[in-house]
Amino acid sequence: MSLRNYPLRPDADLFQVIKAVALTMETQGYEAAVQMISPQSGVLTVKKDRDGFVNALGMGLECRVNFGAINGQLTVNVDSEWTNKIIAVAVGWFVCFIPVITGIVGAVNQLSLPDKIFTAVNMNVGVAPSQYPEM
């Protein structure tokens, strides 16, 4: 779990900020789904290769990003999904060594995903509402 705070513009629309972050992640090849809980909080799910054989080998990536805006501060909390990597390494350890390698590669990629998300938030949190990308 990673947590960071950002100053939020007084005229910022949290939904637009989250949509801009989602668009940034989509341009990098990730699937992104936005869900607003209230005008001050929302959730962004970022994932890649979470279906089928690639996921079973521990290579699928997924993070759930919680956004909360209070008193001009944006709190961003990233929760990573590690289950498929743990299963791949455990199965590979006892059955076949290949899933151990793919699980480790998936874990390394999963470790870098929160930083990519925080970079996308940093790029979009200070943008004026008139400059938000169209979706």
Side-chain angles (χ1 to χ4, degrees):
M1 181 182 316
S2 301
L3 178 71
R4 292 195 187 162
N5 292 315
Y6 299 89
L8 190 62
R9 295 172 55 99
D11 59 346
D13 178 2
L14 183 61
F15 180 61
Q16 294 297 328
V17 171
I18 297 172
K19 280 181 26 179
V21 172
L23 182 62
T24 301
M25 295 308 296
E26 286 173 351
T27 60
Q28 296 177 25
Y30 295 92
E31 296 175 40
V34 177
Q35 179 184 12
M36 292 304 293
I37 298 169
S38 73
Q40 293 81 28
S41 64
V43 177
L44 171 65
T45 303
V46 178
K47 59 185 173 178
K48 186 176 190 178
D49 296 330
R50 286 295 291 177
D51 298 322
F53 191 66
V54 175
N55 188 48
L57 289 175
M59 301 285 288
L61 305 175
E62 183 172 351
C63 282
R64 179 182 166 106
V65 187
N66 298 306
F67 292 84
I70 300 173
N71 297 329
Q73 286 289 320
L74 177 64
T75 301
V76 181
N77 181 13
V78 178
D79 291 324
S80 295
E81 173 60 44
W82 292 96
T83 307
N84 62 337
K85 287 126 192 84
I86 295 168
I87 292 171
V89 170
V91 168
W93 189 260
F94 294 106
V95 178
C96 172
F97 197 67
I98 293 171
V100 171
I101 296 168
T102 59
I104 291 170
V105 170
V108 169
N109 292 335
Q110 185 73 45
L111 282 172
S112 68
L113 184 55
D115 288 333
K116 291 178 183 179
I117 293 169
F118 286 132
T119 300
V121 172
N122 198 34
M123 287 172 32
N124 293 292
V125 74
V127 174
S130 62
Q131 297 175 329
Y132 289 132
E134 292 295 323
M135 296 190 143

